[in-house]
């Protein structure tokens, strides 16, 4: 498919190079423009605002959902508020499920209780159906399975009785 698009673009470029160029004047020295644009007023060739151009490109290429997902991570403090953002961070967004890591188990419990409000805030900020579910967990505990003093085997067991 990409090859077909590239071939079509190259064919269009070759056709444009072989076609005679139109002059901006009428050829009689008067310097009048060809038909199509006349006088003052908005013109598609005018300079455009960068935000408007970027928005149009995002809409043409279907990048609204990835941009909304990136907003969740990039503007986490703005989306959920400064107090919650100080004690949590988004980790992963996969198929509408946002994984959030809290700094303590107490904050994880509080965020689970606030999950409905957080989903409403996220939907208001980035759009509906970007985040459909929250998966909240506490801080990652250290793993004791690897390290310099790890011994192979079953590990400590009940040795009494």
């Amino acid at each position: 498919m990409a090859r077909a698009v590239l071939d079509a673009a190259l064919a269009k470029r070759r056709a444009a190079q072989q076609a005679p160029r139109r002059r901006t004047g009428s050829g009689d020295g008067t310097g009048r423009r060809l038909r199509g644009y006349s006088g003052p007023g908005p013109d598609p060739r005018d300079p455009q605002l960068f935000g408007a151009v970027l928005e149009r490109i995002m809409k043409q290429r279907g990048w609204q959902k990835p941009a909304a997902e990136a907003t969740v991570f990039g503007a986490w403090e703005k989306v959920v508020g400064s107090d919650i953002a100080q004690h949590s961070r988004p980790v992963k967004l996969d198929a509408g499920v946002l994984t959030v890591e809290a700094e303590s188990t107490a904050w994880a419990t509080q965020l689970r209780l606030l999950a409905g409000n957080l989903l409403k805030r996220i939907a208001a900020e980035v759009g509906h159906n970007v985040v459909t579910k929250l998966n909240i967990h506490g801080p990652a505990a250290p793993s004791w399975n690897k390290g310099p003093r790890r011994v192979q085997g079953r590990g400590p067991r009940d040795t009494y009785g």
Side-chain angles (χ1 to χ4, degrees):
M1 185 170 149
R3 176 52 91 184
V5 171
L6 181 63
D7 290 339
L10 288 173
K12 185 177 178 182
R13 182 178 178 192
R14 284 188 204 110
Q17 287 176 345
Q18 292 174 354
R21 293 185 181 230
R22 294 177 16 186
R23 298 180 65 183
T24 56
S26 61
D28 59 1
T30 60
R32 291 185 295 163
R33 282 188 172 186
L34 293 174
R35 296 178 123 188
Y37 299 106
S38 63
D43 188 331
R45 299 175 297 174
D46 288 343
Q48 303 291 320
L49 295 174
F50 183 71
V53 172
L54 188 61
E55 187 175 330
R56 188 173 64 240
I57 289 172
M58 286 176 54
K59 190 176 285 187
Q60 288 173 350
R61 296 187 181 184
W63 290 345
Q64 294 99 339
K65 188 161 185 168
E69 291 173 355
T71 303
V72 172
F73 290 93
W76 180 245
E77 185 172 350
K78 181 181 175 191
V79 172
V80 297
S82 63
D83 191 34
I84 293 173
Q86 287 176 345
H87 301 286
S88 65
R89 67 182 183 91
V91 177
K92 179 175 80 170
L93 179 60
D94 188 27
V97 179
L98 178 65
T99 303
V100 178
E101 182 179 286
E103 74 173 12
S104 67
T105 54
W107 268 102
T109 304
Q110 288 296 324
L111 291 178
R112 284 187 201 105
L113 293 172
L114 294 172
N117 288 341
L118 289 176
L119 283 173
K120 287 178 187 174
R121 284 173 146 182
I122 292 170
E125 191 67 36
V126 299
H128 296 285
N129 295 330
V130 174
V131 176
T132 56
K133 184 179 175 187
L134 289 177
N135 182 9
I136 301 168
H137 60 82
S143 173
W144 303 110
N145 290 335
K146 295 180 180 155
R149 298 199 171 130
R150 172 74 175 136
V151 177
Q152 294 296 328
R154 291 180 44 175
R157 298 286 185 254
D158 185 13
T159 57
Y160 302 106

